[in-house]
Amino acid sequence: MDSKRFLTSIFDAAVAAADPEKTIRDHLPARPKGRTIVIGLGKGAAQMAAAFEKVWDGPVDGLIVTRYGYGAPTKHLEVVEAAHPVPDAAGLEAARRLMEKVSGLSEDDLVIALVCGGGSALLPAPAGGLTLADEIAVNEALLASGAPIAAMNTIRKHLSNIKGGRLAAAAHPARVVSLVVSDIPGDDPSLVASGPTVPSTGSRADALKAIETYAIKLPAAVMAHINSPVADAPRPGDAIFARNEVKVIASAAVSLEAAAAEAKRQGIEAVILSDSMEGEAREVGAIHAAIAREIATRNRPFKKPVLLLSGGETTVTLKAKGKGGRNSEFLLAFAIGIDGHDGIEALAADTDGIDGSEDNAGAFANGSTVARMRAAGVDAKAMLAGNNAWTAFNAVGDLFVPGPTGTNVNDLRAILIR
């Protein structure tokens, strides 16, 4: 068996299970008496929009915002691109236009929101007297903090004019139906893309607690705003949301089940460890390595051959300015943990096709990875200490580069033990 080919097929099966055309078709609302406005945001939003156009029977107007290079051809819905993971002026203008697009609607109109991960950075809309520079500083601080995605998005939605249900509030009295592809452990739709169309389940007090817990250093103007009641986000019980509907149409759980089914089809038993793992990427990688070693050497707690699967979203606390992302950092720690062990092959990748800021989704590793890095003049432990996992895997040709996938159900970790 070609291990890389096998692991790639597992990734492909997970992505296919979140295919937007199938998932959207299964969750379409009825046509309204009035207009249908489609808004979209996230790294897979353009593909969701293209899929929506194929299955929607009726006239539509709308605006879709996605990451640079992640566009897709559409006939009726306009697609614009902006920066991710750090916002830019194009995103600021896109947020303004989205709010304008849903303004002035009637109760006979319908807004369909296509929401997936990445929307937080793509739609900067600084609240109060805050600026784009403030929002950029917030994003950079959050990305370096090691805070879980739920905590980061709880903070973001209290600093925005569009997040935390405010986009849906602007559409009132029109009905808003949100079709959400979840990249959040636990699949809380109010946290996906910081919930622009879903009212907040987290309070301002929760945001302040997260800032304290993770020692996040934010600009003084930002702290002044979030300490003020004007930062409070709309609550789920507000009457303006009464007619709205939220549907999670794809998630890590469904994709992991599809990945397991594909492994079994190829004759390999699969075990799903969890669809909602969180924690420091290098620590989660070390734990996965310990489990893999136990199976490889003692044939427990699962018998070989077996494929271990896990999902969720780890975090990286930046200590240096290397190249990499959470999946490559996870895998570098994993590679160090299985160094010298035969019969262990692994892939860790983000299902949206991008891990961090480079063009790879993740990387492959096995028991020879660290030795091959050493032969290439790369010290794996030093690369891990410097948050430089991309450089380490690039040196041995083990980056995984599938390109944009058109969906985003977070991370996939697949570990084959034979």
Side-chain angles (χ1 to χ4, degrees), residues 63-68 78-84 86-98 121-125 132 136 162:
L63 179 67
I64 312 299
V65 186
T66 193
R67 177 179 172 152
Y68 290 125
E78 181 186 358
V79 176
V80 298
E81 299 180 357
H84 181 283
V86 177
D88 67 355
L92 187 69
E93 173 62 10
R96 184 196 67 77
R97 291 188 60 201
L98 277 181
L122 290 167
L123 294 179
L132 177 60
I136 289 172
I162 197 169

Side-chain angles (χ1 to χ4, degrees), residues 271-310:
V271 175
I272 298 174
L273 300 178
S274 173
D275 66 356
S276 56
M277 285 193 173
E278 297 181 279
E280 193 70 26
R282 63 183 65 192
E283 295 172 4
V284 178
I287 292 169
H288 278 65
I291 296 171
R293 291 197 309 270
E294 188 72 12
I295 297 169
T297 58
R298 294 184 174 89
N299 217 29
R300 67 183 190 192
F302 310 110
K303 293 183 178 180
K304 300 179 287 185
V306 66
L307 179 72
L308 303 182
L309 295 167
S310 70

Side-chain angles (χ1 to χ4, degrees), residues 188-204:
D188 181 347
S190 76
L191 293 172
V192 179
S194 301
T197 59
V198 184
S200 178
T201 55
S203 67
R204 187 165 55 88

Side-chain angles (χ1 to χ4, degrees), residues 249-262:
I249 65 172
S251 68
V254 173
S255 286
L256 285 171
E257 288 164 7
E262 175 59 24

Side-chain angles (χ1 to χ4, degrees), residues 159-183:
L159 300 171
S160 174
N161 282 327
I162 197 169
K163 301 176 175 71
R166 294 177 179 87
L167 183 57
H172 184 73
R175 180 171 179 246
V176 179
V177 175
S178 299
L179 306 182
V180 180
V181 174
S182 174
D183 67 335

Side-chain angles (χ1 to χ4, degrees), residues 127 129-131 134 138 159 218-228:
L130 300 180
T131 66
D134 289 325
V138 168
L159 300 171
L218 300 176
V222 171
M223 291 305 302
H225 178 80
I226 205 168
N227 273 292
S228 168

Side-chain angles (χ1 to χ4, degrees), residues 124-161:
L130 300 180
T131 66
L132 177 60
D134 289 325
E135 192 149 347
I136 289 172
V138 168
N139 263 44
E140 290 176 338
L142 292 176
L143 291 171
S145 70
I149 188 65
M152 289 196 286
N153 286 357
T154 298
I155 294 167
R156 284 166 166 150
K157 67 176 62 178
H158 289 89
L159 300 171
S160 174
N161 282 327

